[in-house]
Amino acid sequence: MRMDDYELLIRLNEIGTIRGTAKAVLISQPAVTQRLKYMEDYFGEAIFIRTSKRLLPTPAGEIIIQHAKRVIYQEKVLKNRLAETGEEIQGTLSIACSTLISQRFLPSILGEFTANYPKVTIDLVTGISEDIRRNHKKYHICIIRGEKLKETTSVHLFDDPLYMFDTEHFPSNQVKERPLISFKSDDSMHELVDNWLYHQQESINPVKTLTVDQIETCKQFMKQGIGMAVLPESVSDHLKEEYPHIALEINGKPVTRDTWVCYQEGIRKLPQVDHFLELLQKTTF
């Protein structure tokens, strides 16, 4: 069995369909079916039951899938150990990163890193910070928004002030009543906005809330005059030059989203991790 066979087996179990897996790994459906048949012949057991909705692992299949996960994990451990002893930086670097940071800042950072260390394999997962927190032990490095991650070494990267934007002006002598456009984020972001709105009851009254999936969608809806939107400065680009806005402040202090890089103690012994953290901490956000 090859490593890519084990990896394909895990993707089949995660995605649940041959069609979806073929699309995700960029090979044809017949090729996925053929490799699955090879694996079932190799182990002499049916790995999945094929239903109309998804693939369901058989009892033997569950054992084989767990074995595949162990093999892949041990392979990563071995590569990392070799990376510690070798002169050339290599091995795997696993990163879990906030979606906003991964879209706005990470491409250039990883571009520079991979140019300097081309033999390092990047394993990147993106999502909302709340989900990353729950699974942080799976990764070498977590880049999250909001509160720092407990029981880790957490380095503050930057503050990100929040602003409310709209196509209509913010009057100083009457209550502004407009829909509020919100984007999918973790609870800490929504708590910041709700707390600020509580202190603005005499000047701002959202008449309804429209929730969208991504921050870019939220920006575009605001630009079309659908309603107000609270956005971090880091993704506001030229919005402050083009649209009415106010800074979120409570008692004269700006409301901000902190960004942290968090990692387990001792993980910097891996050269690829140490070099990436050095680059990250030198970056101007």
Side-chain angles (χ1 to χ4, degrees):
M1 288 280 290
R2 301 177 304 178
M3 289 300 300
D4 55 356
D5 287 326
Y6 286 123
E7 291 170 351
L8 178 62
L9 187 60
I10 291 172
R11 295 303 297 274
L12 280 165
N13 184 55
E14 291 173 345
I15 297 172
T17 65
I18 289 177
R19 180 181 180 183
T21 303
K23 184 177 180 180
V25 300
L26 303 177
I27 61 177
S28 67
Q29 291 185 52
V32 173
T33 302
Q34 184 178 9
R35 287 175 63 180
L36 175 58
K37 184 179 184 304
Y38 162 77
M39 288 184 274
E40 291 181 325
D41 290 343
Y42 179 88
F43 289 109
E45 297 281 353
I47 298 176
F48 294 105
I49 295 173
R50 296 156 176 79
T51 70
S52 59
K53 292 185 177 180
R54 64 173 289 124
L55 299 172
L56 299 176
T58 64
E62 291 181 357
I63 296 172
I64 294 168
I65 291 166
Q66 288 303 315
H67 170 69
K69 291 179 179 179
R70 286 194 298 270
V71 169
I72 291 174
Y73 173 76
Q74 290 299 327
E75 182 80 2
K76 288 183 178 180
V77 170
L78 174 60
K79 286 183 177 180
N80 286 334
R81 286 179 178 174
L82 292 173
E84 287 185 52
T85 59
E87 293 183 2
E88 189 170 14
I89 306 301
Q90 52 187 309
T92 299
L93 173 63
S94 61
I95 305 170
C97 184
S98 157
T99 301
L100 184 150
I101 303 300
S102 68
Q103 293 174 347
R104 182 68 174 175
F105 301 108
L106 203 57
S108 61
I109 296 171
L110 283 179
E112 181 178 348
F113 182 81
T114 55
N116 292 333
Y117 310 107
K119 290 194 174 182
V120 174
T121 300
I122 306 297
D123 184 3
L124 174 64
V125 173
T126 64
I128 63 174
S129 298
E130 201 169 86
D131 293 338
I132 294 173
R133 291 174 189 278
R134 286 195 290 267
N135 300 294
H136 72 275
K137 291 184 179 179
K138 294 182 179 180
Y139 313 104
H140 293 143
I141 293 171
C142 295
I143 304 173
I144 58 173
R145 307 266 286 174
E147 296 296 324
K148 63 183 179 180
L149 195 54
K150 296 179 180 179
E151 300 177 357
T152 69
T153 300
S154 297
V155 178
H156 186 260
L157 295 179
F158 69 100
D159 291 326
D160 204 356
L162 299 180
Y163 291 84
M164 175 172 275
F165 292 90
D166 198 356
T167 53
E168 299 182 4
H169 288 282
F170 292 82
S172 58
N173 56 355
Q174 66 184 75
V175 177
K176 181 182 178 70
E177 294 188 338
R178 288 275 282 158
L180 176 65
I181 310 165
S182 174
F183 59 91
K184 184 180 179 183
S185 184
D186 53 88
D187 289 343
S188 63
M189 172 65 177
H190 299 306
E191 288 171 2
L192 285 176
V193 176
D194 290 345
N195 186 41
W196 179 77
L197 286 170
Y198 174 78
H199 287 81
Q200 305 298 317
Q201 295 180 61
E202 295 183 359
S203 57
I204 297 177
N205 177 35
V207 292
K208 63 179 179 180
T209 301
L210 173 64
T211 303
V212 297
D213 58 343
Q214 297 182 6
I215 195 168
E216 186 59 34
T217 308
C218 182
K219 287 168 61 175
Q220 296 304 321
F221 276 32
M222 184 280 297
K223 289 181 178 181
Q224 294 300 318
I226 295 173
M228 310 176 290
V230 174
L231 300 170
E233 185 176 53
S234 62
V235 297
S236 298
D237 298 321
H238 302 293
L239 292 182
K240 287 195 288 184
E241 300 172 9
E242 300 177 21
Y243 295 93
H245 62 278
I246 55 173
L248 272 63
E249 294 182 351
I250 296 179
N251 297 325
K253 295 182 178 180
V255 178
T256 64
R257 286 277 277 168
D258 293 331
T259 301
W260 304 85
V261 57
C262 309
Y263 52 92
Q264 298 295 321
E265 184 178 356
I267 200 68
R268 295 195 75 154
K269 292 180 181 178
L270 295 174
Q272 70 274 28
V273 175
D274 186 57
H275 282 71
F276 180 78
L277 286 170
E278 285 183 0
L279 174 61
L280 192 65
Q281 290 173 247
K282 291 177 182 176
T283 301
T284 301
F285 292 92

